[in-house]
Structure formats: C-alpha cells, structure tokens
Amino acid sequence: FLLLFYVLSSGINAEYGELQQDPFMLRLAVKTSTWQPVMGEWLQAANTVSPAERERVGRYMFKRDAKHAMMGRLLIRHCLSSITSQPPDSFLLDRDESGKPYQMNSGL
C-alpha cells in the first residue's frame, strides 16, 4: 500500500500520481509496509496528534487500518511543518462535514 500526499497552496489532497518537484507543491510518497512501529514509536506518534485524532485512529478495528490512518495524520503534520517551519505538533487540525482535514489555527 502506498500513501502519496500532495500539499497544495489551497489545501491538502491525497491521490496517486507521478513524483516530481514543483515550487508550489510538496509531494511525499510512503511505502506503508516499511513502517512497523514498536510501542515507543507508536506512543510518540500518538503524542504528536491531537486527542481527537488519537480517538479516531483508535476506533479502527484492524491494526493495519489504524497504522494507515496514523501515517496519514503524521504526513499532514509533516507537510505543514515543512512549509511553515513550525513543529508538527503545533497544528490544531479538525475535519469538516465530509471528513476532509483542515487547519484550525491557520494564523501560524
């Protein structure tokens, strides 16, 4: 399974496509099978995301699905951190009615 995130100036979208460098777009590809977190790594990842995000990840029945959800949330934070030079855990993220993530503290 491959997660590919595109971060555009207007928001964050995940889709599959070709990797290339663009000054207005940050693209990250992650082969999810390579991350096999031990307990300490999982706890560190869980402490990076908000309590609401942790709860949402914790609702998944299968470990693989929870891992993919956590990776997606960490990638969003990594992308925002890369663009703004702020620490990944400094962003307040929520989801709209359709489940799309947005940044609540956009004044950073």
Side-chain angles (χ1 to χ4, degrees), residues 21-59:
Q21 192 64 26
D22 185 312
F24 300 103
M25 188 179 296
L26 174 62
R27 300 175 191 196
L28 295 174
V30 177
K31 190 173 180 182
T32 61
S33 62
T34 61
W35 187 46
Q36 299 298 325
V38 295
M39 182 61 75
E41 291 172 324
W42 186 261
L43 292 174
Q44 182 180 4
N47 286 331
T48 302
V49 301
S50 70
E53 290 173 301
R54 264 194 307 274
E55 180 190 344
R56 188 181 295 254
V57 168
R59 287 189 220 151

Side-chain angles (χ1 to χ4, degrees), residues 58-77:
R59 287 189 220 151
Y60 285 96
M61 182 177 292
F62 299 106
K63 284 173 64 173
R64 183 193 67 192
D65 296 337
K67 183 178 86 166
H68 291 166
M70 180 64 79
M71 289 179 83
R73 283 153 178 81
L74 293 174
L75 281 170
I76 290 169
R77 289 174 176 281

